[in-house]
Amino acid sequence: MSATEIKANTTEETKPVVRSGSFVQENQKSLLFIAAAIVVMVLGYIAYLKLYLAPREVSAASQFYVAQDFWAKKDWDKAIKGDAGYPGLEKIISDYSNTKVANLAYFYLGTAYLNKGEYRKAIDNLNSYRGDDAMVAAEALGSVGDAYVELKDMDKAETYFKKAADKAGNKFLSPLYLKKLGLVYEAKNDNKAAAEAYKKIKTEYPESAEAQNIDEYIARAEAK
């Protein structure tokens, strides 16, 4: 037998064999500790949801209902700051952070500030909204676009109207934001892009309200 063969055989014979059974036995205490820790974490999270977060959601919802009523009546100051009996949207967000109600309150607060002409505050709050509802999310993005138009920042307005139209993905909001996008392009003297935005309304959303007179907008953009 050659030296090489002896070395190979020796290596194979002396190589340690790892068996899963022995690994579990040797590390049983550690594995049990990890499993117990996971169980405690899961139970803790469930308790957090049911015993802490759920009651806060109920309490926040009762407060939010009143603020929402002020908002619907366009009483923006009371919607934002509340009155003697109920807190406004700002306090709801502060007192009930991490709740779904507080998240929705960001949208309402942002639109309230938008209507008051406080555009930076509107942008900050609308961008803080993190909801799953595509319609509300699209409106939040579109309202940010409106705020940037008022601030004469057409580049950012363009970005947000694009996002709003894509996020909505329906015949009600998408053509609205496409039309606003076209108007922003016209303000930027990008008339080719404006015409394309208007044509998209005509071809993809022909039954929308915006499509009814969109030929006038297309003609105007193409004539420039």
Side-chain angles (χ1 to χ4, degrees):
M1 183 179 291
S2 66
T4 302
E5 291 173 328
I6 293 172
K7 184 178 180 181
N9 289 336
T10 303
T11 303
E12 290 297 325
E13 290 171 2
T14 57
K15 185 182 292 183
V17 178
V18 178
R19 294 184 176 86
S20 60
S22 62
F23 175 82
V24 171
Q25 290 175 357
E26 292 171 7
N27 296 274
Q28 191 172 36
K29 289 185 179 180
S30 296
L31 293 172
L32 287 174
F33 177 80
I34 293 170
I38 292 172
V39 170
V40 170
M41 288 173 61
V42 171
L43 292 176
Y45 182 66
I46 292 172
Y48 167 77
L49 291 178
K50 291 187 175 182
L51 302 178
Y52 177 74
L53 197 57
R56 279 166 56 81
E57 288 284 3
V58 173
S59 180
S62 66
Q63 306 283 353
F64 180 69
Y65 176 78
V66 179
Q68 190 180 34
D69 187 55
F70 286 134
W71 185 91
K73 293 175 180 177
K74 298 183 179 181
D75 191 339
W76 308 122
D77 290 328
K78 285 186 178 180
I80 294 169
K81 299 295 185 181
D83 62 8
Y86 289 93
L89 294 166
E90 285 185 334
K91 188 165 177 58
I92 289 171
I93 291 171
S94 175
D95 290 350
Y96 299 98
S97 59
N98 298 326
T99 64
K100 293 180 180 179
V101 173
N103 181 51
L104 184 58
Y106 276 119
F107 169 77
Y108 279 84
L109 182 58
T111 54
Y113 275 125
L114 180 65
N115 281 280
K116 279 175 61 66
E118 297 184 46
Y119 303 119
R120 292 295 178 187
K121 288 184 178 181
I123 291 167
D124 289 342
N125 284 283
L126 289 164
N127 276 332
S128 294
Y129 173 73
R130 293 290 184 273
D132 296 326
D133 188 299
M135 292 283 282
V136 178
E139 287 191 64
L141 291 167
S143 294
V144 173
D146 290 334
Y148 277 121
V149 167
E150 296 296 336
L151 292 171
K152 310 301 181 185
D153 190 337
M154 296 304 170
D155 289 336
K156 288 185 178 178
E158 173 192 342
T159 297
Y160 277 91
F161 286 143
K162 281 181 179 178
K163 289 181 178 180
D166 291 341
K167 185 69 174 180
N170 62 59
K171 63 181 179 180
F172 301 106
L173 293 180
S174 292
L176 170 64
Y177 295 127
L178 284 171
K179 186 174 182 179
K180 289 187 177 187
L181 178 61
L183 292 170
V184 166
Y185 281 133
E186 287 194 74
K188 295 174 64 176
N189 293 316
D190 189 347
N191 297 302
K192 181 179 179 181
E196 289 174 355
Y198 298 143
K199 287 177 181 177
K200 189 171 183 179
I201 296 172
K202 183 175 181 177
T203 56
E204 296 187 15
Y205 305 100
E207 297 180 358
S208 65
E210 288 74 18
Q212 304 312 305
N213 64 341
I214 203 65
D215 284 335
E216 298 174 15
Y217 288 82
I218 295 171
R220 183 179 69 194
E222 290 182 333
K224 292 180 180 179

